[in-house]
Amino acid sequence: MSRLSQTFTTVKPILGMLHLAGDGAAAKLVQAEEEARIMAGEGVDGLVVENYFGEADDVERVLDRLCGLDLGAKIGVNVLRDDARAFALAKRYPVAFIQVDSVAGHLPPEADGPFATGLAERRASVPALLLGGVRFKYQPVLSGRPEDEDVRIGASRCDGLVVTSDATGQPTDMDKVTRFRAATGGTVPLLIGAGLTEANAAEQLASADGAVVGSWFKHDHKDTGRVEAPHVARLMRAVRSLRSAA
């Protein structure tokens, strides 16, 4: 049994992104709680608190609020550009998982060793599940290694790999998912990291073990929008149908 399946009791868990939009700290907190309640109420399995539009301090304020509520969804954290802060927050709050956008492939060889050592130490310091990216959207490829080697190394550094194509909202390349699965020999869960919709959920989740969803839950299906319940409900109905069929 993988740590993903130990953390989430349902198959094909869906993790919803809280991007922390809003004009100022107070507005960000209000919007994040509103969006968290919508997603959890529609059956989203996990909530990723991420400083996409905010700062690391906003992440902490939202974690503090959400961890005091009983929403029924697992709480996770991703502090962009500051992995150390994410792990520090995971020590302070009962988060179930941490997402790190890149765990291998994004650094030149001379920097990769120290990064790997630091990541391993931080990972050992918290009980949270670690989800990591390899050749993730917007991340450079500087390792000088073949893709399959980066994937195998990345898989050894985390509990699940999040796979994307090149941009936010862009459907994840299923050939890439297939290559990642082959490289790891199926030993590590793979999650779709971008572009999941109710229309493509059957195809995407047939090859993956779960997904992270952000833009599609919003009113215009763009990262700048606000989460709307009907969009969440439609996708989660599709996911529940797939789970029932399985």
Side-chain angles (χ1 to χ4, degrees):
M1 178 180 291
S2 70
R3 291 199 65 206
L4 182 74
S5 60
Q6 291 174 339
T7 301
F8 295 96
T9 56
T10 188
V11 297
K12 314 286 186 181
I14 302 299
L15 316 181
M17 298 297 303
L18 294 170
H19 283 149
L20 307 193
D23 187 13
K28 291 179 189 297
L29 183 59
V30 169
Q31 183 169 334
E33 181 177 344
E34 176 187 297
E35 294 183 340
R37 288 184 181 277
I38 289 171
M39 288 192 280
E42 296 295 345
V44 170
D45 304 288
L47 303 169
V48 188
V49 184
E50 180 185 273
N51 55 324
Y52 189 88
F53 290 117
E55 304 295 335
D57 288 347
D58 295 310
V59 172
E60 182 160 8
R61 280 187 284 269
V62 172
L63 282 177
D64 188 67
R65 174 67 60 84
L66 297 187
C67 289
L69 304 175
D70 184 16
L71 297 179
K74 303 289 186 181
I75 306 298
V77 61
N78 182 8
V79 182
L80 301 173
R81 301 171 296 279
D82 194 347
D83 298 345
R85 183 73 180 273
F87 281 92
L89 290 172
K91 289 182 180 180
R92 294 189 57 189
Y93 297 94
V95 301
F97 61 98
I98 299 167
Q99 183 179 344
V100 173
D101 280 1
S102 190
V103 293
H106 63 297
L107 295 172
E110 64 273 14
D112 185 65
F115 168 81
T117 299
L119 182 66
E121 291 172 352
R122 294 182 185 118
R123 184 183 177 192
S125 72
V126 297
L129 180 80
L130 178 59
L131 305 176
V134 175
R135 306 207 176 194
F136 199 78
K137 58 185 179 180
Y138 307 121
Q139 294 290 319
V141 179
L142 302 174
S143 66
R145 297 184 293 251
E147 180 188 82
D148 61 344
E149 186 175 352
D150 277 340
V151 172
R152 285 192 294 272
I153 291 171
S156 72
R157 295 175 179 176
C158 61
D159 302 298
L161 291 174
V162 184
V163 189
T164 71
S165 289
D166 298 326
T168 295
Q170 183 181 107
T172 298
D173 179 1
M174 298 314 294
D175 287 340
K176 188 175 184 181
V177 175
T178 298
R179 296 196 307 270
F180 277 35
R181 185 77 74 187
T184 63
T187 59
V188 176
L190 302 180
L191 289 87
I192 300 299
L196 189 80
T197 72
E198 57 264 29
N200 67 22
E203 176 195 9
Q204 300 257 308
L205 291 176
S207 299
D209 303 295
V212 182
V213 182
S215 302
W216 194 253
F217 283 158
K218 301 191 177 187
H219 76 270
D220 54 2
H221 302 311
K222 295 181 180 178
D223 55 4
T224 52
R226 294 178 74 107
V227 170
E228 289 195 352
H231 292 315
V232 184
R234 282 196 293 271
L235 177 55
M236 293 310 298
R237 277 199 299 271
V239 171
R240 283 192 290 271
S241 178
L242 293 170
R243 289 170 177 166
S244 298

